[in-house]
């Protein structure tokens, strides 16, 4: 009868005891996996995801900082170029102003030197003229004295004949270009007239 019962059992179904043991083992394994393994995996995955996301965020932050630094550098470079151009223009303007001031000073100094030279030349000319007037007057008096036969120095000084003679010579020298005759004998004629008048 037992043999018939065993033969009548389904060979595809496992024994009931094995089913119970397998169920209990699966439940224990599921409990252990759910309690310890899966949370650990989830923690590891979360940490890895956070690390990846943090790295991405840090990379984006660093990229933003690098972009901002590049923009600041470009702005500073543009500002430095503008400032350099302003300094160059200012230096050029100052150099031009210095050149103009030096040119003006040189012109003033040149004018002052020329004026001083002309003044000294006029003074020297006047001294030479005075000396020549004295010498010519003395020679004229001596020659007149020799012609007359007596000393006329005191009389010439009293009458101012020498001064008049020299003034006439100066007038003749000044008007030689305009009042001289074409044959060039106008001065000699005037001189002879003056000498005749003094006689």
């Amino acid at each position: 009868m037992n043999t018939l019962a065993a033969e009548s059992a389904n060979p595809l179904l496992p024994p009931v005891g094995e089913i119970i043991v397998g169920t209990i083992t699966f439940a224990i394994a599921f409990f252990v996996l759910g309690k310890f393994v899966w949370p650990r995996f989830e923690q590891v995955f979360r940490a890895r995801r956070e690390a990846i996301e943090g790295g991405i965020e840090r990379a984006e932050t660093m990229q933003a900082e690098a972009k901002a630094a590049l923009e600041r550098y470009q702005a500073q470079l543009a500002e430095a170029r503008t400032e350099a151009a302003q300094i160059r223009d200012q230096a050029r303007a100052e150099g031009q102003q210095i050149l103009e001031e030096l040119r003006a000073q040189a012109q003033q100094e040149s004018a002052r030197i020329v004026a001083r030279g002309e003044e000294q030349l006029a003074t020297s000319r006047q001294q030479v003229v005075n000396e020549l007037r004295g010498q010519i007057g003395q020679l004229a008096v001596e020659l007149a004295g020799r012609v007359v036969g007596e000393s006329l120095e005191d009389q010439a000084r009293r009458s101012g004949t020498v001064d008049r003679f020299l003034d006439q010579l100066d007038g003749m020298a000044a008007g030689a270009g305009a009042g001289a005759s074409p044959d060039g004998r106008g001065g000699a004629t005037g001189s002879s007239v003056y000498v005749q008048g003094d006689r």
Side-chain angles (χ1 to χ4, degrees):
M1 186 169 186
N2 289 331
T3 304
L4 293 174
E7 290 179 356
S8 63
N10 190 355
L12 298 176
L13 294 178
V16 176
E18 291 180 2
I19 292 174
I20 294 173
V21 171
T23 302
I24 294 172
T25 304
F26 179 76
I28 293 172
F30 185 80
F31 176 77
V32 171
L33 290 175
K35 183 69 176 176
F36 300 103
V37 177
W38 289 341
R40 179 63 181 169
F41 283 163
E42 186 177 355
Q43 184 179 1
V44 171
F45 290 154
R46 185 184 303 113
R48 185 66 180 273
R49 184 176 62 250
E50 291 177 355
I52 293 172
E53 291 177 354
I56 294 174
E57 291 178 357
R58 286 194 300 272
E60 292 177 352
T61 303
M62 292 176 64
Q63 184 177 2
E65 291 178 355
K67 184 177 180 180
L70 180 60
E71 291 177 354
R72 287 195 303 269
Y73 171 75
Q74 291 176 350
Q76 292 176 357
L77 183 60
E79 184 179 358
R81 289 177 178 173
T82 303
E83 186 177 357
Q86 292 177 355
I87 292 173
R88 184 176 61 253
D89 294 338
Q90 183 178 0
R92 186 181 294 110
E94 290 179 355
Q96 186 67 27
Q97 183 178 0
I98 291 173
L99 287 177
E100 292 177 357
E101 291 177 356
L102 290 177
R103 187 180 295 111
Q105 291 178 0
Q107 291 177 353
Q108 292 177 358
E109 185 69 16
S110 176
R112 186 179 63 82
I113 292 173
V114 169
R116 181 182 297 177
E118 291 178 352
E119 182 180 355
Q120 292 178 353
L121 182 62
T123 302
S124 300
R125 180 179 178 278
Q126 188 63 36
Q127 290 177 355
V128 171
V129 168
N130 292 335
E131 292 177 359
L132 289 176
R133 285 172 66 96
Q135 293 177 3
I136 292 173
Q138 183 68 28
L139 290 175
V141 170
E142 290 179 359
L143 289 175
R146 290 179 183 178
V147 171
V148 175
E150 60 183 6
S151 178
L152 300 177
E153 184 175 357
D154 295 334
Q155 184 179 359
R157 288 178 181 174
R158 286 194 300 269
S159 62
T161 304
V162 175
D163 292 335
R164 288 196 304 272
F165 176 71
L166 294 176
D167 290 338
Q168 185 180 9
L169 288 178
D170 289 339
M172 290 171 59
S181 60
D183 57 358
R185 291 180 295 179
T189 304
S191 177
S192 62
V193 170
Y194 177 80
V195 174
Q196 292 175 0
D198 284 343
R199 291 180 185 175

